[in-house]
Amino acid sequence: MGKVMEQLGIADAMAKKVIFKPALDGGAQLVATGQAEIGIYPASEVAGVKGLTVVGPLPADINLEIVYGAAATTDSTAPNATSAFVKFMAASENRPVRKESGFKPPTNLNAD
């Protein structure tokens, strides 16, 4: 987020107003309890946090898209469960589950 504020030319003006705290380390709770006015986090990190309303993504030119990958290792102690999980996550019929959890399909995997 610091880099985005620099790109927007507002880093100096925002320096004393910003709390850099990851959502999963209590940042989302700061917003949910009103201790912070706004939070900018990956949707998947705040999808289930009570008291928050996700209003949408950042504009495309400053939005960071995170692409996750999954695989079962050859030395897994639970290869069947691992493979089942990867297949579940990859199955198109399970897209609503992923979307509800804040994960959306990538919009452009070929971006530079």
Side-chain angles (χ1 to χ4, degrees):
M1 199 57 227
K3 184 178 177 180
V4 169
M5 288 191 303
E6 285 178 24
Q7 288 174 320
L8 295 173
I10 62 171
D12 290 339
M14 297 298 293
K16 293 183 180 176
K17 300 177 182 184
V18 174
I19 302 168
F20 289 101
K21 189 162 187 112
L24 301 177
D25 282 339
Q29 292 305 331
L30 290 175
V31 179
T33 60
Q35 296 173 58
E37 293 181 31
I38 188 172
I40 299 175
Y41 300 112
S44 61
E45 293 183 6
V46 297
V49 178
K50 294 196 184 310
L52 293 184
T53 301
V54 177
V55 295
L58 293 170
D61 56 335
I62 61 170
N63 194 17
L64 175 62
E65 197 165 83
I66 302 168
V67 178
Y68 294 93
T73 62
T74 57
D75 63 347
S76 173
T77 57
N80 293 338
T82 304
S83 293
F85 175 73
V86 172
K87 287 177 184 174
F88 172 84
M89 292 302 292
S92 60
E93 65 268 16
N94 295 322
R95 185 170 284 176
V97 174
R98 293 190 305 271
K99 188 174 180 180
E100 183 179 310
S101 299
F103 294 96
K104 296 179 183 175
T107 55
N108 186 357
L109 293 177
N110 298 318
D112 293 334

